């Protein structure tokens, strides 16, 4: 079970939780990167993302994948994968290690009425939000870097990760790597909180609605039980969390590519924003409220897939590490 549970406490150290977080981050990133590339392309397009509107470059999920493949090749679906993979591994290490630490210490400090199964989603929300915020501060530079690499068209402004880092530093120093930090934190705290909170909630619902199967005492038997529960509960938590905070994710991506307009011209209209407030006003004025939900379809596909894989791989890795010490 993700988070501290006294009746199911594992014999794991913070290093073990970090390893499990790294594994879950690496596996998830490798599998869902194409959806992330498409989501970011949709979010950065000012024109409507609709089949009936042809002004913009992308009109639908299938058309978007087809266009990227035809114009840039299959490898373009993994653009920015190196920094994204580093980001995912670091994020997984910091997030899960921090979350396990916070839930353990929060549980010992909570009043007795808050130590029930019904209250778990509440304090998991706050612990998850804090863990996600801590991880975000560590990986924000890599997130900005991968967004720049994914966002560029042809001809490329950046030919590789090293060159991109050098040019971005010349642009505005370290501040370049923290562009969009405010909307990122505004988005990540509730998103990570909802993800862990909903995961705890759906696990509680699973426990009371799904009959507990008979399993062997072998590790493989436990894995079969973990996989089905973690996968379903993880997928549902990802869906609910992403739907709740999506507009902030779109604003974050728009702000992260400011100062990078030249490489965006081949994708359609380029907009300059002075800050978060100006970005919000401009999107409402030019694109309407629907503009805040551009890229929602691939984003939900990614969120559901990613959360299911993250929680499943984390649970399995923790189980394996725990079993190896028994």
């Amino acid at each position: 079970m993700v988070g501290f549970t006294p009746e199911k406490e594992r014999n794991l150290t913070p290093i073990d939780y970090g390893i499990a977080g790294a594994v879950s981050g690496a596996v998830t990133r490798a599998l869902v990167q194409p959806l992330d590339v498409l989501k970011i392309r949709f979010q950065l397009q000012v024109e409507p993302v609709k089949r009936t509107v042809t002004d913009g470059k992308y009109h639908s999920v299938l058309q978007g994948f087809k266009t990227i493949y035809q114009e840039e090749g299959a490898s373009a679906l993994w653009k920015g994968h190196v920094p994204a993979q580093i980001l995912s591994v670091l994020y997984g290490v910091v997030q899960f290690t921090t979350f396990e630490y916070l839930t353990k210490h929060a549980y010992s400090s909570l009043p007795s009425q808050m130590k029930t199964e019904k209250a778990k989603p509440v304090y998991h929300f706050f612990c998850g939000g804090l863990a996600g915020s801590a991880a975000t501060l560590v990986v924000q530079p890599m997130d900005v870097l991968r967004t720049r690499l994914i966002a560029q068209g042809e001809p490329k402004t950046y030919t590789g990760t090293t060159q991109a880092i050098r040019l971005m530093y010349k642009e505005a120093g370290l501040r370049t790597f923290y562009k969009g930090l405010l909307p990122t934190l505004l988005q990540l705290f509730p998103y990570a909180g909802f993800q862990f909170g909903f995961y705890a909630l759906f696990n509680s619902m699973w426990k009371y609605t799904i009959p507990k199967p008979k399993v062997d005492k072998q590790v493989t038997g436990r894995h079969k039980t973990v996989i089905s529960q973690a996968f379903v509960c993880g997928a549902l938590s990802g869906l609910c969390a992403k739907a709740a905070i999506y507009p902030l994710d779109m604003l974050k991506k728009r702000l992260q590519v400011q100062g990078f307009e030249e490489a965006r011209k081949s994708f359609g209209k380029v907009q300059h924003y002075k800050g978060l407030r100006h970005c919000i006003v401009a999107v409402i004025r030019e694109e309407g409220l629907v503009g805040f939900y551009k890229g929602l379809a691939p984003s939900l596909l990614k969120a559901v897939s990613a959360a299911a894989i993250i929680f499943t791989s984390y649970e399995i890795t923790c189980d394996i590490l725990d079993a190896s010490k028994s």
Side-chain angles (χ1 to χ4, degrees):
M1 181 65 188
V2 177
F4 178 73
T5 305
E7 64 273 15
K8 296 181 180 179
E9 188 173 3
R10 289 176 168 132
N11 185 31
L12 298 178
T13 66
I15 293 177
D16 294 324
Y17 289 125
I19 292 172
V23 170
S24 67
V27 172
T28 303
R29 173 57 56 189
L31 294 176
V32 304
Q33 178 72 1
L35 287 170
D36 202 31
V37 169
L38 187 63
K39 179 204 74 170
I40 292 174
R41 293 287 181 92
F42 279 16
Q43 288 177 329
L44 299 179
Q45 179 171 298
V46 176
E47 295 84 0
V49 182
K50 293 181 179 179
R51 291 186 178 88
T52 56
V53 180
T54 58
D55 292 343
K57 191 176 186 72
Y58 305 116
H59 314 133
S60 67
V61 174
L62 291 178
Q63 181 268 342
F65 277 129
K66 184 178 179 181
T67 299
I68 293 173
Y69 177 77
Q70 290 178 338
E71 295 183 355
E72 305 169 57
S75 61
L77 294 171
W78 276 269
K79 268 188 177 180
H81 184 63
V82 173
Q85 189 61 267
I86 297 172
L87 179 152
S88 295
V89 170
L90 287 176
Y91 190 92
V93 170
V94 178
Q95 183 184 43
F96 280 105
T97 303
T98 305
F99 182 75
E100 296 289 351
Y101 174 85
L102 290 175
T103 52
K104 183 173 183 177
H105 287 271
Y107 185 87
S108 62
S109 304
L110 289 171
S112 56
Q113 61 268 29
M114 287 295 292
K115 294 182 178 181
T116 62
E117 192 71 23
K118 291 181 180 179
K120 183 181 286 187
V122 177
Y123 71 85
H124 272 216
F125 170 84
F126 289 104
C127 291
L130 289 171
S133 297
T136 297
L137 290 173
V138 173
V139 305
Q140 176 71 2
M142 298 304 300
D143 193 25
V144 174
L145 176 62
R146 80 182 179 100
T147 298
R148 293 285 187 98
L149 290 170
I150 291 172
Q152 66 179 342
E154 298 291 343
K156 292 182 175 67
T157 299
Y158 306 132
T159 57
T161 302
T162 303
Q163 186 221 24
I165 294 172
R166 186 173 64 253
L167 292 178
M168 287 170 66
Y169 184 79
K170 286 182 179 179
E171 185 181 314
L174 290 176
R175 287 183 300 170
T176 306
F177 296 94
Y178 284 92
K179 282 188 175 182
L181 180 61
L182 177 59
T184 298
L185 290 175
L186 289 174
Q187 173 221 344
L188 251 298
F189 184 93
Y191 179 59
F194 279 132
Q195 204 170 40
F196 282 101
F198 278 122
Y199 187 69
L201 174 64
F202 289 126
N203 267 292
S204 296
M205 294 172 64
W206 181 286
K207 184 187 297 184
Y208 291 112
T209 57
I210 306 297
K212 189 174 181 180
K214 294 181 179 180
V215 296
D216 298 330
K217 291 184 179 180
Q218 297 176 351
V219 175
T220 53
R222 291 205 303 274
H223 284 180
K224 291 178 182 178
T225 305
V226 167
I227 289 174
S228 58
Q229 183 175 343
F231 192 87
V232 173
C233 294
L236 291 173
S237 71
L239 175 68
C240 295
K242 179 57 72 174
I245 56 82
Y246 188 76
L248 285 169
D249 188 34
M250 191 282 293
L251 291 170
K252 177 188 77 172
K253 294 304 180 191
R254 290 285 179 96
L255 291 172
Q256 284 181 336
V257 295
Q258 293 304 294
F260 189 56
E261 288 83 2
E262 190 64 32
R264 298 279 315 142
K265 288 183 178 179
S266 64
F267 293 106
K269 184 178 179 181
V270 176
Q271 180 67 278
H272 177 72
Y273 305 112
K274 298 176 182 177
L276 178 59
R277 182 179 178 182
H278 179 239
C279 185
I280 294 172
V281 173
V283 170
I284 293 174
R285 183 178 63 248
E286 299 186 14
E287 304 168 56
L289 292 177
V290 70
F292 291 107
Y293 291 91
K294 282 182 176 177
L296 181 61
S299 185
L300 286 179
L301 284 173
K302 180 208 166 188
V304 170
S305 304
I309 298 168
I310 285 172
F311 284 114
T312 303
S313 55
Y314 180 79
E315 295 272 24
I316 290 174
T317 306
C318 284
D319 226 17
I320 293 172
L321 291 172
D322 188 39
S324 68
K325 295 186 177 185
S326 299

